[in-house]
C-alpha cells in the first residue's frame, strides 16, 4: 500500500511536473504467452475501429508471481480459463479507449502479488485488438470475446454523451453469456481507471449471497437518474418499493456470474431497455447505468469506497478537475467526460492525471525506451 501512504506527496510532486510539461463469439485463449518476436516498442499496423493506424505501445515490463502464490498458480505450465485459483477480470477494448485499457491492465499486473494468477477477459467489437494485447503483454493470461454490436444496438437509447451510446459500453450486461460457464465470478473494470493495490483483495470480497458487489454512494441524489415520467408512474416508481436503493458506479463491480445466470439478469436489464424505447416514453437519460440501478439498486453487496475513487474525469463538465475523495485509495477512476490520456496529450492535464501517467504504455514515437511522461 505504498501508493496510499505516499499519495499526498506524490500528488504534490505530480502537480509540479504537470505544470511543466454469431452475435456472441469467443476467440481462442492466449494463456501465459511468452514471445520474443516483439521489440521494446510495439506498433499495431492494422486498421482498427475508427480508422486509426499505426498505434504504438511499449512492451510492458515483465512480472512474476511472489513465492507464496502457491504451486498451482506458478508452476509454469500455463493456465486454463477454468482453473479455480485464477482471478478473473473483464474489461473492454476498443479504439477510442484502447490507451486507457492498456494502462488499466498494466496497473493491475504491476500491483498484484500474484499477477500470473490473473486472467483477463477482453470484450471487443474488433477481434484484431487481441494481437496488440499479445504484443504489449507477452506474459498475460487472457482471452478475447467478440460482442456483435447488433446484439445490443437496437436497445440503446440516446444519452447525455455519445460515448455512452456505444454498444461496447453495454458489454457488462453480457458477461454471464460471453464468459465460459466454469467462470463463476468476475471483476468488471472500466477502461478509464488504474488499480493501485493488489486486485486479489477486491476479488476476495464477500458478496453475502448478492449477485453484484460495488461501492455504494447513498448520499447521492438517487432520483436524478430517472425522469419525471418514471417517478410519476407508480408502475415504474414502485420498482423500488421495499428496497433502499443507492447509487453505485458500474465501472467497478464484483459479479457472481453463477447467480446471474440462474436469475436471468441479462434479460431483466434488456426488458428495462425495451421500456425506455417504448411508447411509454423515456424513463432515464444516462446510458447503461439506469437499467443496472433498476435491477440491482438496494440489492448490492457494499464494497469499500477505496475501490472506486470515481468522478476524476469531471463528470460531464468539460475542462473540470476533481480532487480525491477523503480516505484510502486502491483504485482511481476517471469516470466522466475528461480522460487523462486526452488531457495529457493536449497539454491540458488535471493534477490527478499525473497518477495515471506512470501506467501509460503509449509510445507516440514508435520506438521510445521510456514513457513519454516522466515523473
Amino acid at each position: 500500500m505504498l501508493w496510499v501512504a505516499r499519495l499526498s506527496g506524490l500528488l504534490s510532486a505530480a502537480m509540479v511536473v504537470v505544470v511543466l510539461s454469431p452475435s456472441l463469439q469467443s476467440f481462442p485463449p492466449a494463456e501465459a504467452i511468452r514471445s520474443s518476436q516483439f521489440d521494446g516498442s510495439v506498433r499495431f499496423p492494422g486498421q482498427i475501429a475508427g480508422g486509426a493506424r499505426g498505434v504504438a505501445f511499449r512492451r510492458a515490463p515483465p512480472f512474476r508471481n511472489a513465492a507464496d502464490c502457491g504451486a498451482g498458480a506458478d508452476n509454469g505450465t500455463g493456465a486454463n480459463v477454468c482453473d479455480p485459483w485464477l482471478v478473473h477480470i473483464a474489461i473492454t477494448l476498443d479504439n477510442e479507449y484502447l490507451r486507457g485499457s492498456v494502462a488499466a491492465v498494466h496497473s493491475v499486473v504491476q500491483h498484484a502479488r500474484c499477477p500470473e494468477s490473473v486472467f483477463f477477459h477482453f470484450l471487443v467489437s474488433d477481434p484484431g485488438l487481441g494481437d496488440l494485447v499479445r504484443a504489449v503483454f507477452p506474459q498475460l493470461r487472457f482471452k478475447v470475446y467478440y460482442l456483435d454490436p447488433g446484439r445490443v444496438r437496437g436497445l440503446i437509447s440516446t444519452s447525455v454523451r455519445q460515448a455512452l451510446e456505444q454498444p461496447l459500453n453495454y458489454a457488462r450486461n453480457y458477461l454471464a453469456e460471453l464468459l465460459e460457464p466454469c467462470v463463476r465470478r468476475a471483476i468488471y473494470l472500466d477502461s478509464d481507471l488504474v488499480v493501485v493495490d493488489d486486485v486479489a483483495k477486491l476479488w476476495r470480497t464477500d458478496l453475502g449471497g448478492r449477485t453484484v458487489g460495488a461501492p455504494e454512494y447513498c448520499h447521492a441524489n438517487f432520483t436524478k437518474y430517472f425522469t419525471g415520467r418514471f417517478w410519476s408512474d407508480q408502475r415504474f416508481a414502485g420498482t423500488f418499493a421495499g428496497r433502499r436503493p443507492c447509487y453505485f458506479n458500474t465501472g467497478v463491480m464484483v459479479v457472481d456470474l453463477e447467480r446471474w445466470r440462474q436469475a436471468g439478469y441479462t434479460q431483466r436489464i434488456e426488458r428495462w431497455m425495451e421500456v425506455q424505447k417504448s411508447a411509454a416514453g423515456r424513463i432515464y437519460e444516462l446510458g447503461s447505468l439506469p437499467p443496472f440501478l433498476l435491477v440491482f439498486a438496494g440489492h448490492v453487496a457494499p464494497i469499500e469506497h477505496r475501490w472506486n475513487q470515481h468522478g476524476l474525469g469531471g463528470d460531464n463538465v468539460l475542462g473540470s478537475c476533481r480532487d480525491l475523495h477523503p480516505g484510502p485509495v486502491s483504485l482511481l477512476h476517471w469516470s466522466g467526460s475528461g480522460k487523462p490520456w486526452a488531457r495529457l496529450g493536449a497539454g491540458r492535464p488535471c493534477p490527478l492525471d499525473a497518477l495515471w501517467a506512470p501506467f501509460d504504455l503509449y509510445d507516440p514515437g514508435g520506438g521510445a525506451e521510456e514513457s513519454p511522461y516522466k515523473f
Side-chain angles (χ1 to χ4, degrees):
M1 294 298 294
L2 183 61
W3 270 81
V4 175
R6 299 178 60 188
L7 189 57
S8 297
L10 177 59
L11 178 57
S12 299
M15 289 176 67
V16 174
V17 173
V18 170
V19 169
L20 294 177
S21 65
S23 61
L24 300 177
Q25 178 181 356
S26 92
F27 289 82
E31 299 163 350
I33 295 174
R34 288 166 174 79
S35 173
S36 59
Q37 69 183 87
F38 303 104
D39 59 17
S41 180
V42 177
R43 181 170 292 278
F44 188 62
Q47 184 168 354
I48 55 181
R53 289 182 180 272
V55 180
F57 290 88
R58 292 177 298 112
R59 188 164 62 183
F63 52 83
R64 290 288 184 271
N65 279 354
D68 60 355
C69 287
D74 63 352
N75 60 12
T77 61
N80 181 286
V81 68
C82 295
D83 286 343
W85 44 266
L86 290 170
V87 172
H88 294 277
I89 297 178
I91 188 169
T92 60
L93 282 179
D94 69 349
N95 182 31
E96 184 176 0
Y97 283 75
L98 181 60
R99 190 169 168 185
S101 297
V102 169
V105 173
H106 188 202
S107 72
V108 169
V109 297
Q110 286 297 307
H111 288 91
R113 186 167 183 80
C114 305
E116 294 178 283
S117 304
V118 180
F119 197 107
F120 284 88
H121 304 262
F122 292 109
L123 315 173
V124 305
S125 56
D126 178 359
L129 291 176
D131 294 335
L132 183 142
V133 174
R134 293 185 183 96
V136 177
F137 299 100
Q139 298 170 264
L140 200 68
R141 308 184 196 275
F142 72 92
K143 189 170 181 179
V144 173
Y145 303 80
Y146 176 66
L147 175 66
D148 184 346
R151 173 72 168 84
V152 67
R153 184 174 283 127
L155 295 170
I156 298 174
S157 57
T158 56
S159 184
V160 294
R161 284 193 288 124
Q162 189 175 4
L164 301 178
E165 301 171 21
Q166 300 307 308
L168 208 56
N169 194 48
Y170 293 80
R172 72 199 83 194
N173 300 358
Y174 301 97
L175 290 182
E177 295 182 18
L178 285 163
L179 274 56
E180 288 76 3
C182 64
V183 180
R184 302 175 62 182
R185 169 185 283 222
I187 297 171
Y188 177 83
L189 297 179
D190 270 353
S191 300
D192 53 356
L193 55 78
V194 292
V195 177
V196 293
D197 201 348
D198 186 355
V199 75
K201 298 176 184 177
L202 179 60
W203 174 257
R204 292 193 292 266
T205 298
D206 181 3
L207 296 182
R210 305 289 195 182
T211 302
V212 170
E216 291 185 294
Y217 302 89
C218 294
H219 63 279
N221 181 8
F222 187 81
T223 61
K224 72 178 183 180
Y225 295 102
F226 302 94
T227 64
R229 179 185 296 272
F230 175 90
W231 293 113
S232 64
D233 190 328
Q234 189 55 36
R235 293 176 302 168
F236 301 145
T239 301
F240 297 113
R243 295 157 62 177
R244 185 175 178 270
C246 294
Y247 162 74
F248 66 96
N249 182 282
T250 55
V252 180
M253 298 185 291
V254 180
V255 183
D256 185 329
L257 296 175
E258 190 172 39
R259 292 181 63 90
W260 184 295
R261 295 175 182 118
Q262 292 171 352
Y265 283 120
T266 295
Q267 290 70 36
R268 297 191 194 187
I269 290 172
E270 287 185 331
R271 281 198 291 270
W272 280 114
M273 296 173 70
E274 290 168 353
V275 170
Q276 166 81 343
K277 300 274 286 186
S278 71
R282 298 177 67 87
I283 58 174
Y284 57 80
E285 301 292 349
L286 192 62
S288 61
L289 171 64
F292 254 85
L293 296 179
L294 286 162
V295 173
F296 292 110
H299 300 307
V300 173
I303 293 176
E304 289 182 273
H305 288 178
R306 68 191 305 151
W307 285 105
N308 196 350
Q309 283 268 349
H310 69 290
L312 303 185
D315 288 341
N316 296 310
V317 181
L318 286 173
S320 62
C321 294
R322 292 293 185 88
D323 293 326
L324 289 175
H325 306 294
V329 179
S330 292
L331 184 150
L332 299 156
H333 187 187
W334 280 261
S335 57
S337 60
K339 303 306 176 188
W341 57 90
R343 296 192 296 216
L344 285 163
R348 296 190 298 272
C350 289
L352 289 177
D353 295 345
L355 301 180
W356 177 88
F359 306 104
D360 185 18
L361 293 175
Y362 176 62
D363 182 5
E369 293 297 324
E370 297 180 354
S371 170
Y373 308 108
K374 300 178 183 180
F375 297 93

